[in-house]
Amino acid sequence: MTNTLTLGNLRVRPSRSAATVDSRWRISRELFTSPSARHRAAATVLPLVPVAVFVALWQVLTDHNVVAWLRFNRMPTPASVLHALLARVTSSGYYDDLLASLQRILLGFGLAAVAGIALGVLIGRSSIARMTLRPFVEIVRPIPAIALVPLTILLFPSSEQGIVFITFFAAIFPALVSTIHAMDSLPKVWEDAAKTMGAGRLSVLWHVVLPGALPGIFAGLSVAMGVAWICVVSAEMISGQFGIGYYTWQSYGLLDYPGVVVGMISIGALGLATAWLVERLGRRVNRWLPRTGR
């Protein structure tokens, strides 16, 4: 039935275009007021709130040259940092430094992830390997990776290989220890049930143990990525010839304080991107978990 509007003896029928506009308006309103739309808006806006508060506080403290427990009279302003960042992103050397650091972190972290998970599975599944290797791991693990810089200079023919080794050394222990603990925390009934149904040793390892341990393993890999970034940047500052850590330290030596902050922001952006990749990979691998969709 078509609605009509009566004005005296004149009957006015709403036009099709007005009905179409009204329908589109309702659809648009539902899209923007639906729970999923509100969730997307919150996911976009909320991460910007602490950043905006931090930048505003930074601006106020540097504008007024506040000197208290901390001294902000020598700190660069957000405007000067933005100007330095814009100048830096237009130069090819900036991307060479980013690529060098990214290559080092991916190579060192990748080797550490493979070796750490393999050793963790071996120690977690074999009592002989646990008795043999676990004491050595606990002796070496507390050594700071950055303390190995003098030895890497003596051992490796190039600083590039030494920086990759330091990254590897820093990242392997979080991956290794998390894998061991993930193995130990698996319910024994899972393995017993698989063996009861006729599964062999390798089948139990591949289809029961590893899938059950993967959430704990990826938690360790996330920690390993953060530790690896700390150590690769520190190694670049000490013995590197290029890389974002080397750029940051060089800017400090030249009293280019906005450049130092640009280096810090670049390190944070790279760390965020690599951590996001690890998290996304973990969600993809652990998609069978009921909470992976959050």
Side-chain angles (χ1 to χ4, degrees), residues 20-214:
T20 303
V21 170
D22 182 66
S23 176
R24 290 178 178 177
W25 169 251
R26 287 200 308 270
I27 294 174
S28 301
R29 186 174 56 187
E30 291 175 359
L31 287 176
F32 284 102
T33 58
S34 63
S36 60
R38 290 196 298 269
H39 177 76
R40 288 194 299 268
T44 303
V45 174
L46 290 181
L48 300 178
V49 173
V51 176
V53 172
F54 175 79
V55 173
L57 183 62
W58 177 14
Q59 182 69 44
V60 170
L61 293 174
T62 52
D63 277 347
H64 293 82
N65 294 323
V66 175
V67 178
W69 184 60
L70 298 175
R71 298 180 299 176
F72 292 92
N73 56 333
R74 297 181 179 178
M75 284 288 294
T77 62
S80 63
V81 172
L82 179 60
H83 183 269
L85 178 61
L86 294 177
R88 188 62 180 163
V89 297
T90 57
S91 64
S92 60
Y94 176 72
Y95 299 100
D96 292 338
D97 289 332
L98 292 182
L99 183 60
S101 296
L102 196 59
Q103 287 176 338
R104 291 164 178 168
I105 200 76
L106 292 179
L107 181 57
F109 175 81
L111 294 174
V114 173
I117 294 174
L119 283 175
V121 171
L122 178 63
I123 295 174
R125 298 290 295 172
S126 172
S127 58
I128 296 177
R130 182 184 292 267
M131 289 184 293
T132 305
L133 298 176
R134 189 65 187 270
F136 177 76
V137 169
E138 295 303 325
I139 291 173
V140 178
R141 186 162 68 99
I143 300 175
I146 200 64
L148 299 177
V149 171
L151 293 181
T152 58
I153 295 175
L154 297 176
L155 289 173
F156 293 95
S158 68
S159 60
E160 184 71 19
Q161 296 173 353
I163 293 174
V164 172
F165 173 76
I166 289 172
T167 308
F168 166 83
F169 186 87
I172 188 173
F173 293 109
L176 171 60
V177 174
S178 66
T179 302
I180 294 174
H181 288 307
M183 292 286 168
D184 293 340
S185 63
L186 289 177
K188 183 66 175 173
V189 67
W190 291 4
E191 187 174 347
D192 294 338
K195 289 181 178 179
T196 301
M197 291 185 288
R201 186 180 181 89
L202 290 178
S203 181
V204 169
L205 176 64
W206 186 254
H207 296 287
V208 178
V209 175
L210 285 179
L214 280 176

